[in-house]
Amino acid sequence: MTKSGQEHLASIRDGRSIYIDGGRVEDVTTHRAFRNVAQSVGGLFDFANDPARRDLMTFETETGGRANRIWQLPASYDDLVERRRALEAWTAIHGGFLGRAPDHVASCIAGMRMGLPVFEGYDPARAAALENYYRHARDNDLYLTYVIINPQADRSKNAAEQADPFLTAGVVDRDAEGITIRGAKMLATGGVVANEVFVTTIQPMQPGEERYAVSFAIPMNSKGLKMLSRKSYEAQAGSIFDNPLASRYDENDAVLFFDDVKVPWDRVFIDGSVEMCQKQFHATPAHVYQNYQAMIRLKVKLQFLMGIAHRTTQTNGITQFPQVREILGQLAAEAAMVDAFVNAMEAKGTQVGPYFVPDRHMLYSAQVLTQQMYPKILNSLRELAGGGMIMLPSSIADFANPEIAAMIEKTQQSPAANAHDRVKFYKLAWDAVGSEFGSRHHQYEMFYAGATFVTKGHSFRTYDWGKAGGIVQHMLDSYDIDTKSAAA
């Protein structure tokens, strides 16, 4: 079977270099900034490792063993749907708030493996490294994060034109053992609790940037690899009751610094090819598979937010108001649209060699529309709640003081819940919508797929303009200046 939660926790007590609040973290599984999210990730592996969920969460490999479905290479529509159901079940545990849970980058690597002939055409040795790495990650049930964008710096210049040529991670040396990497990459979401990191560049590059045109995977405790964490929402959450999401699902984001990190050749998939860095995503199913997973996650997350919306109206006793039902109806239609997109990606999928790949344009259409939709949904939730999500007791400690607790009982009234349950619910709602953790997710859902011009560009690139134009041309061909009208 796959690894257990305790096995995962043991695997990340590996001496990795994480820096936060002015110091280095000794043990990510016990540090107050990361221990709860580490336990949450461990819970995901326990869920998948449960023998009762063997058929749901695992598949049989070519060796006769079992592996987590996040690594499955679907050969048919039915395989794809089975895999999606496993991802849905996993995502429901965290409500979609682990944006870079283990199933995301696994989907990317699986998509690259499906496109192995593209790598073989580039370099058979690099293709062999990719194939072997896929099996290694699958068979050891690794949790991967990735860093695929460069530090922002001067956005008017490419990586090679920056004042510091090693601001962006690039090759500083090559020898018989491998390549040596120096510089920084972003954003390593989930990296603090991941086993390994996939490093490459998804941004378009130009001739002259070959130094940065690499693709490889290394353990998070590699010598010279350092993680600079952003502020921890978990550390400031106080209690699970006060911040039920931030306290357990703050996957964190980090800048990775490569201080002359040695990468062995059997971990290098691309070296020095600007063209191949783009091909690894777009000439293989990788980009589709990783973002198809993201849309499955968002589908489940929106179901969670629909539950928040409906519970808000029940708590306030306003569900029957026509204007409230109008808002709920709009929200329900938007959530259903994402569900429909996921199903359409599958139904319109195509066979690519031995594998079944979701429809690209359905995916990119969903990304364009959901980038616009997520902020609107949050605003609708705010509108339904009014001040209910704000005027709450300061912390769980207020309930321990009888005098304060009595005032809470009087002031936190609801027709559908007692004071304790009302406060508990609205603490959850605020954490999802308005807290610093919720605001980070607002930003994340708007930009994880790239800026809006990027997703719209993908939609433009993959739409069947020829078919649309053919319908127009057929209509144009059906009449002309000498065509007589029916009334003539």
Side-chain angles (χ1 to χ4, degrees):
M1 291 295 291
T2 55
K3 71 181 175 185
S4 69
Q6 285 304 311
E7 287 170 334
H8 179 70
L9 293 176
S11 73
I12 60 175
R13 297 187 190 102
D14 57 6
R16 59 190 56 202
S17 297
I18 305 173
Y19 297 89
I20 189 171
D21 296 330
R24 179 174 173 177
V25 174
E26 294 298 324
D27 183 348
V28 70
T29 69
T30 59
H31 193 279
R32 64 187 299 267
F34 312 115
R35 60 194 176 195
N36 288 347
V37 71
Q39 289 291 331
S40 295
V41 170
L44 292 179
F45 285 107
D46 280 336
F47 182 90
N49 189 52
D50 187 342
R53 301 187 184 94
R54 176 179 180 272
D55 291 338
L56 172 66
M57 297 302 300
T58 70
F59 71 103
E60 185 175 343
T61 70
E62 73 283 351
T63 63
R66 305 292 299 187
N68 194 316
R69 282 199 189 274
I70 66 177
W71 297 103
Q72 187 174 4
L73 310 180
S76 66
Y77 168 82
D78 289 339
D79 283 352
L80 186 66
V81 170
E82 274 194 315
R83 183 178 182 275
R84 184 247 298 163
R85 287 172 179 158
L87 270 56
E88 287 175 336
W90 236 22
T91 303
I93 297 171
H94 53 82
F97 283 92
L98 289 178
R100 289 289 183 266
D103 45 338
H104 183 74
V105 180
S107 298
C108 175
I109 299 296
M112 288 170 60
R113 170 58 185 81
M114 291 181 216
L116 192 64
V118 176
F119 283 83
E120 290 171 338
Y122 157 64
D123 184 333
R126 299 304 104 232
L130 172 62
E131 182 174 22
N132 291 335
Y133 183 75
Y134 162 76
R135 289 180 179 171
H136 168 73
R138 179 197 69 186
D139 295 345
N140 289 279
D141 209 6
L142 297 184
Y143 175 6
L144 273 65
T145 185
Y146 60 24
V147 284
I148 58 176
I149 61 173
N150 301 332
Q152 289 189 340
D154 185 345
R155 297 295 289 273
S156 68
K157 299 177 180 178
N158 66 35
E161 295 170 337
Q162 300 294 327
D164 179 358
F166 288 105
L167 169 65
T168 294
V171 178
V172 69
D173 187 36
R174 293 179 182 86
D175 59 26
E177 296 179 4
I179 59 177
T180 300
I181 301 295
R182 181 185 299 169
K185 295 289 285 190
M186 295 164 56
L187 281 167
T189 301
V192 293
V193 288
N195 295 116
E196 302 205 358
V197 58
F198 171 47
V199 183
T200 191
T201 299
I202 197 170
Q203 295 160 299
M205 288 184 286
Q206 305 167 7
E209 294 186 274
E210 287 79 9
R211 179 197 300 271
Y212 316 100
V214 292
S215 177
F216 59 88
I218 55 172
M220 298 305 298
N221 68 341
S222 295
K223 182 181 178 181
L225 179 60
K226 302 170 184 178
M227 284 180 272
L228 180 60
S229 171
R230 62 152 166 79
K231 171 182 176 180
S232 169
Y233 308 136
E234 176 181 324
Q236 302 193 10
S239 71
I240 293 177
F241 186 89
D242 289 314
N243 295 93
L245 299 175
S247 63
R248 295 179 293 170
Y249 304 121
D250 179 19
E251 59 193 338
N252 213 274
D253 309 282
V255 173
L256 295 195
F257 286 91
F258 296 80
D259 188 5
D260 289 0
V261 176
K262 191 61 172 283
V263 183
W265 284 116
D266 63 1
R267 293 300 196 96
V268 178
F269 317 133
I270 300 172
D271 176 30
S273 174
V274 168
E275 179 184 18
M276 189 60 196
C277 277
Q278 283 295 293
K279 280 187 173 183
Q280 70 181 329
F281 289 109
H282 299 293
T284 77
H287 197 252
V288 170
Y289 259 90
Q290 71 188 56
N291 286 293
Y292 164 65
Q293 178 278 336
M295 205 53 58
I296 294 170
R297 178 195 58 80
L298 183 58
K299 165 190 167 179
V300 176
K301 189 177 188 180
L302 292 186
Q303 290 171 344
F304 173 84
L305 293 179
M306 293 308 102
I308 293 289
H310 193 245
R311 181 71 65 90
T312 297
T313 68
Q314 291 176 318
T315 299
N316 290 352
I318 58 174
T319 310
Q320 301 306 315
F321 292 5
Q323 61 270 42
V324 170
R325 290 199 163 200
E326 180 180 359
I327 295 173
L328 291 176
Q330 177 69 32
L331 289 171
E334 290 167 341
M337 182 190 76
V338 178
D339 182 71
F341 266 122
V342 170
N343 282 274
M345 291 173 212
E346 297 165 352
K348 294 187 68 178
T350 54
Q351 200 74 32
V352 179
Y355 307 114
F356 192 82
V357 179
D359 184 79
R360 290 174 182 265
H361 188 253
M362 287 294 101
L363 166 65
Y364 296 135
S365 298
Q367 287 186 323
V368 168
L369 296 176
T370 55
Q371 281 180 314
Q372 302 166 26
M373 190 175 72
Y374 194 82
K376 290 170 55 183
I377 288 175
L378 294 189
N379 282 337
S380 294
L381 293 177
R382 290 172 179 270
E383 185 178 352
L384 290 172
M389 289 192 290
I390 299 175
M391 198 60 258
L392 296 168
S394 59
S395 76
I396 193 174
D398 289 338
F399 286 94
N401 183 313
E403 181 181 0
I404 300 175
M407 289 188 285
I408 292 173
E409 188 66 34
K410 288 183 179 181
T411 58
Q412 296 290 339
Q413 296 183 27
S414 165
N418 59 37
H420 169 276
D421 290 346
R422 182 183 185 278
V423 171
K424 180 180 180 181
F425 166 69
Y426 269 132
K427 290 274 190 179
L428 173 64
W430 178 248
D431 214 13
V433 174
S435 68
E436 192 168 4
F437 173 86
S439 295
R440 181 264 180 192
H441 273 267
H442 184 166
Q443 193 79 358
Y444 178 85
E445 299 296 356
M446 290 178 65
F447 292 105
Y448 78 83
T452 56
F453 74 85
V454 173
T455 55
K456 290 173 183 176
H458 290 324
S459 177
F460 170 80
R461 176 172 54 84
T462 56
Y463 186 70
D464 191 347
W465 297 105
K467 184 175 182 179
I471 297 172
V472 172
Q473 189 61 49
H474 175 77
M475 186 62 70
L476 288 170
D477 291 343
S478 71
Y479 66 94
D480 210 330
I481 195 169
D482 59 353
T483 303
K484 294 181 179 180
S485 68

